Amino acid sequence: MNLGYKFNGWVSDNNVISTDNEIELVISSDIEANFEVRDEMKKYEFISTPTSCLIRKAHLEDETEAIIPSYVTGIKMGAFKDCIKLEKITLPFIGSGDSSNTHFGYIFDAESSFENSEYVPSSLKEVIISNGCTSIDSCAFQDCSGLTSIIIPNSVTSIGKRAFWFCSGLTSITIPNSVTSIGELAFSWCSGLTSITIPNSVTSIGDYAFEACSGLTSIIIPNSVTSIEKLAFSFCSGLSIYCEVDSKPSTWDSNWKSDNLLVVWGYSIED
């Protein structure tokens, strides 16, 4: 059965004779299978097969929330461009659903991540990424300054370069305990961030990852982090860094932070 449809039963002369998936039929029988679009897909134009489902157009012009089912495998560029009243969206991936276009604004008709701010509706504040997504790719939410909340599922293992660059509207974000790497400039210029937790699954933090996060006052670096690149914590006035390790590991860059930032070594959560 194609994705996006549900099976209603076997019909003969407009009468449902069975709802079993399989029945024995006489060759000359006039019985046929009856299907209809699932409720959650009725406001989308889509094409599907048993293993794929592509949304071509969303008819949510007056809706404030969109929920894209987890079985959707692709979204056409601009499919949501007329959904200008959206405040919240739940989706199984960022961008088109393949590796070619992984920026959030793609579904709103942005050709590149540099156009995210122009095409993502100003009304949109909350993004929920469904469990199953494995990475937040480079520039995914770049310049999405109007977003205030992004929920990352615990299936994500990496956060790419400039993934949240200039998301100045974000006030807090939870990095799940599945993420192992935070890329270069990943949260750079997220000036509205006042709280962020680095889980003990993270092993590497890229160059300038938290540059100019001027709203942060404290951050804990777990002892799982074996690599911090150049100025990962820089231009964060007022930030205190609490490190679980007793001293700077040799694998951290010598200039991993700005000189004026307070660092507490050997920190324990019980302290």
Side-chain angles (χ1 to χ4, degrees):
M1 180 167 53
N2 288 5
L3 297 177
Y5 292 87
K6 63 180 179 180
F7 174 65
N8 288 330
W10 298 94
V11 177
S12 178
D13 295 327
N14 294 321
N15 296 312
V16 177
I17 62 171
S18 176
T19 56
D20 293 337
N21 287 335
E22 297 181 5
I23 61 172
E24 293 184 3
L25 298 175
V26 178
I27 296 298
S28 60
S29 174
D30 62 351
I31 298 173
E32 60 182 21
N34 180 268
F35 301 90
E36 69 172 308
V37 174
R38 291 185 175 276
D39 289 343
E40 66 268 22
M41 292 297 290
K42 286 184 177 178
K43 291 192 175 182
Y44 299 116
E45 293 178 22
F46 67 98
I47 54 176
S48 69
T49 70
T51 59
S52 67
C53 181
L54 173 70
I55 291 178
R56 303 177 67 182
K57 176 71 175 177
H59 294 284
L60 301 166
E61 292 83 356
D62 295 317
E63 303 292 332
T64 58
E65 181 176 3
I67 300 176
I68 302 171
S70 59
Y71 55 76
V72 169
T73 57
I75 302 174
K76 187 178 178 181
M77 181 178 176
F80 286 77
K81 67 179 181 179
D82 296 325
C83 306
I84 58 174
K85 296 181 180 180
L86 285 181
E87 298 174 4
K88 179 180 180 180
I89 189 169
T90 301
L91 67 178
F93 49 79
I94 307 303
S96 62
D98 58 35
S99 59
S100 60
N101 294 284
T102 57
H103 57 286
F104 182 54
Y106 178 83
I107 65 174
F108 299 103
D109 219 23
E111 291 188 0
S112 75
S113 60
F114 292 99
E115 295 181 341
N116 277 344
S117 61
E118 181 181 350
Y119 285 88
V120 173
S122 59
S123 58
L124 188 56
K125 302 299 180 185
E126 183 176 357
V127 177
I128 300 174
I129 307 167
S130 306
N131 200 42
C133 179
T134 58
S135 66
I136 309 297
D137 290 333
S138 297
C139 307
F141 291 98
Q142 176 178 308
D143 256 341
C144 291
S145 57
L147 297 179
T148 59
S149 173
I150 300 173
I151 307 298
I152 304 172
N154 59 13
S155 54
V156 168
T157 59
S158 64
I159 296 175
K161 178 180 179 180
R162 294 206 307 266
F164 299 96
W165 191 52
F166 271 97
C167 285
S168 55
L170 284 179
T171 56
S172 67
I173 193 165
T174 299
I175 301 173
N177 202 33
S178 53
V179 171
T180 60
S181 63
I182 298 172
E184 177 184 348
L185 294 160
F187 294 95
S188 180
W189 292 94
C190 289
S191 56
L193 270 182
T194 57
S195 172
I196 192 166
T197 300
I198 300 175
N200 58 15
S201 57
V202 171
T203 60
S204 65
I205 299 174
D207 302 70
Y208 305 99
F210 294 93
E211 175 194 28
C213 289
S214 55
L216 283 179
T217 57
S218 67
I219 195 165
I220 300 172
I221 302 178
N223 56 21
S224 61
V225 176
T226 57
S227 173
I228 300 182
E229 300 300 332
K230 183 176 62 178
L231 294 175
F233 301 92
S234 53
F235 305 105
C236 302
S237 57
L239 176 64
S240 297
I241 304 174
Y242 298 86
C243 301
E244 291 185 348
V245 292
D246 293 330
S247 60
K248 186 186 83 66
S250 61
T251 50
W252 292 13
D253 190 272
S254 58
N255 294 314
W256 65 280
K257 66 169 188 69
S258 296
D259 291 337
N260 62 334
L261 298 183
L262 172 68
V263 178
V264 177
W265 298 104
Y267 176 78
S268 173
I269 196 69
E270 287 82 18
D271 290 351

